[in-house]
């Protein structure tokens, strides 16, 4: 056979192409074209039906308003008012009030927004439906046409609403014939835009309407009102009709334009119906059909490909897992399908990985135990060193020296010894303890600053700011936690300050999300640091270097925070040259409450 001249892999691909790909592509192309044709006709017919519905609404509306205009035009009372030369204003007002036809129509018919009768009779003035024409009105085209032509015609007339915005109304315009009088009158009936919206709007389609060659008097989208129709119209045709797809507002949409001859009028109303969703819906359906055809091609192709690549894929997978092990990544897949030699080799690999994991686990456990022993040894050495000092001996000795200084009337030395004794008592009493109150720690810091003020005098000032409602007595903190930070601020931050130096401690709470934090800021107004020095300090706080003598206090505090509260809590340092330095401690408020 013809296929025997090729390898099996290529034979399978050729059979798949001849039996599956070519027939599916031919049938799929025919079905997509046919479905597209059906969908275009379907949406076009729906849009045409909606356009026809709106045309019927408008035709009934023009017919009904035509009858109303005839009644008003030939009403004797209306003509009498327009023809009379009233000598008194009260007589005119009474005559208008007695005439009920205009008010009755305006109140009874929801489709009427308002009725206006424009007149040039100088004996009349603006009152209710009667309007004295001004120069601007006499210059309008619709007013001139009403005086020159007989019959009813329709116009889109703009007016200003309460916000001084231009509003367009579809209006019936008709001249009222006045006999044996030199005056003229024009009837204008405004159609209510809300009425049009209720009876013509659709949830699926947009409508745009214009009369004769004028701008749009109504549109579902208010931005299209007062401008030309969104499609080109041949106004010279007695009955213009158009269906098709046009680009409106930057997107393709179905368009249906039809002409409506207003009842008993030469005016032509152009109704443009737009369907912006149909084109997208057809595209979505075409895309779905294309995806189905694509799936009909791809799924069998994938199965053929999987079948031909089966053994090669298993070997590749085994190689990948071995490569992961060589890179110390021991997360292997659970199993390799099959029961042949490849599966047995993968089983041996899994056994080897488990042995490596056990050896590493034992080594890691040994490292942890070694670190715990080292920490225990350091604690024992610290306690042994502290136990060598007899606290009572120190207190009694310092008290004796203080009393001698007091007897010698050297109150400054006596006060210094007193502060030193309190500071040593606090340090010795808190050796080996895990907690103290924030209030006691702040008191110890203040005693330390008083001692430094004895040394530096006016060069060092101190300020403490505690958030209102925050009681330091109700929060636990690690002992000897803040004093090294304050010491660092005095020794390094205020070292070059001759006068006016200040250390400020600010304590407040913040809750950026679900967890509440207690924040302690220790600031100085000293020389600050450059960005390079600040970066080095931040590294020194995180990385232990026994050869350096600076930043040991901040390093120890940072380590104590991470060990006690977790890796997410650490020391933050901010500085600016010539402005000062701020050390921020962010602590978990919930864990610190007493």
């Amino acid at each position: 056979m013809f296929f025997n001249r090729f390898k099996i892999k290529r034979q399978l691909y050729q059979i798949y192409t001849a039996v599956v790909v070519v027939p599916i592509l031919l049938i799929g192309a025919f079905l997509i074209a046919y479905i597209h044709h059906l969908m275009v006709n379907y949406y076009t017919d729906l849009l045409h039906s909606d356009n026809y519905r709106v045309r019927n609404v408008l035709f009934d509306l023009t017919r009904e308003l035509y009858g109303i205009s005839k009644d008003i035009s030939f009403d004797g009372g209306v003509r009498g008012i327009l023809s009379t030369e009233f000598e008194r204003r009260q007589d005119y007002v009474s005559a208008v009030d007695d005439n009920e036809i205009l008010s009755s129509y305006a109140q009874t018919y929801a489709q009427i927004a308002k009725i206006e009768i424009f007149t040039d009779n100088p004996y009349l003035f603006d009152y209710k439906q009667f309007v004295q024409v001004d120069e601007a009105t006499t210059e309008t085209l619709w007013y001139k046409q009403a005086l020159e032509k007989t019959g009813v015609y329709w116009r889109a007339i703009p007016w200003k609403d309460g916000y001084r915005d231009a509003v367009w109304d579809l209006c019936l315009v008709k001249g009222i014939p006045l006999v044996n009088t030199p005056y003229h009158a024009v009837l204008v009936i405004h159609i209510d835009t809300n009425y049009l919206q209720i009876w013509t709007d659709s949830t699926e389609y947009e409508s745009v309407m214009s009369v004769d060659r004028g701008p749009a008097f109504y549109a579902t989208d208010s931005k299209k009102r007062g401008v030309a129709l969104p499609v080109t119209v041949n106004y010279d045709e007695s009955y213009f009709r158009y269906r098709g797809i046009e680009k409106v507002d930057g997107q393709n949409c179905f368009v249906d334009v039809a002409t409506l001859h207003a009842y008993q009028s030469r005016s032509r109303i152009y109704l443009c119906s737009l369907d912006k969703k149909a084109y997208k819906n057809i595209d979505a359906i075409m895309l779905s059909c294309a995806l189905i055809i694509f799936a009909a091609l791809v799924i069998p192709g994938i199965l053929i490909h999987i079948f031909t690549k089966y053994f090669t894929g298993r070997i590749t997978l085994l190689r990948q897992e071995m490569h992961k092990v060589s890179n110390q990544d021991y997360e292997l897949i659970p199993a390799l399908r099959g029961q042949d030699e490849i599966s047995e080799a993968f089983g041996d690999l899994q056994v080897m990985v488990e042995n490596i994991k056990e050896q590493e686990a034992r080594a890691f456990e040994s490292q942890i135990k070694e670190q715990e022993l080292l920490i225990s040894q350091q604690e024992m050495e610290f306690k042994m060193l502290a136990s060598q000092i007899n606290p009572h001996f120190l207190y009694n000795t310092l008290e004796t020296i203080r009393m001698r200084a007091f007897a010698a009337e050297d109150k400054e030395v006596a006060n210094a010894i007193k502060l030193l004794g309190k500071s040593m008592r606090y340090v010795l009493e808190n050796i080996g303890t895990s907690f103290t109150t924030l209030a006691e720690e702040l008191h110890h810091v203040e005693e330390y600053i008083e001692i430094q003020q004895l040394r530096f005098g006016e060069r060092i000032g101190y300020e403490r700011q505690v958030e209102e409602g925050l009681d330091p007595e109700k929060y636990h903190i690690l002992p000897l936690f803040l004093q090294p930070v304050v010491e660092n601020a005095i020794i390094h931050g205020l070292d070059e300050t001759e006068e006016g130096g200040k250390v400020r401690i600010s304590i407040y709470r913040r809750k950026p999300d679900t967890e509440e934090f207690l924040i302690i800021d220790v600031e100085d107004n000293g020389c600050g640091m450059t960005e390079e020095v600040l970066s080095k300090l931040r590294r020194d706080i995180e990385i232990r270097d026994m050869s350096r003598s600076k930043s040991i206090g901040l390093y120890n505090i940072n380590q104590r925070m991470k060990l006690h509260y977790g890796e997410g809590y650490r020391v933050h340092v901010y500085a600016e040259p010539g402005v000062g330095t701020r050390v921020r401690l962010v602590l978990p408020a919930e864990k610190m409450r007493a």
Side-chain angles (χ1 to χ4, degrees), residues 11 29 51 98 103 108 118 122 133 160 204-205 324 334 345 365 378 396 420 436 446 511 522 528 563 585:
Q11 291 180 29
N51 186 281
D98 293 339
S103 299
T108 304
F118 294 86
V133 295
K160 299 290 186 180
E204 296 292 330
Y205 311 113
K324 287 166 59 177
E365 185 178 355
Q378 290 176 347
N396 294 336
L420 178 61
T436 185
E446 291 173 355
K511 192 174 182 180
V522 180
L563 288 173
L585 309 176

Side-chain angles (χ1 to χ4, degrees), residues 438-493:
L438 179 58
E440 291 178 351
E441 183 70 10
L442 290 173
H443 183 67
H444 171 63
V445 168
E446 291 173 355
E447 291 176 346
Y448 171 77
I449 291 178
E450 287 185 38
I451 295 174
Q452 294 298 327
Q453 286 176 336
L454 293 174
R455 175 184 176 189
F456 295 104
E458 297 298 326
R459 287 177 54 190
I460 299 177
Y462 171 68
E463 180 181 343
R464 186 179 80 177
Q465 295 179 346
V466 181
E467 178 185 334
E468 184 177 356
L470 192 153
D471 187 0
E473 290 285 354
K474 296 183 179 180
Y475 286 87
H476 283 156
I477 195 171
L478 298 174
L480 304 174
F481 199 65
L482 299 181
Q483 184 268 336
V485 182
V486 175
E487 179 181 359
N488 192 74
I490 294 174
I491 295 176
H492 300 292

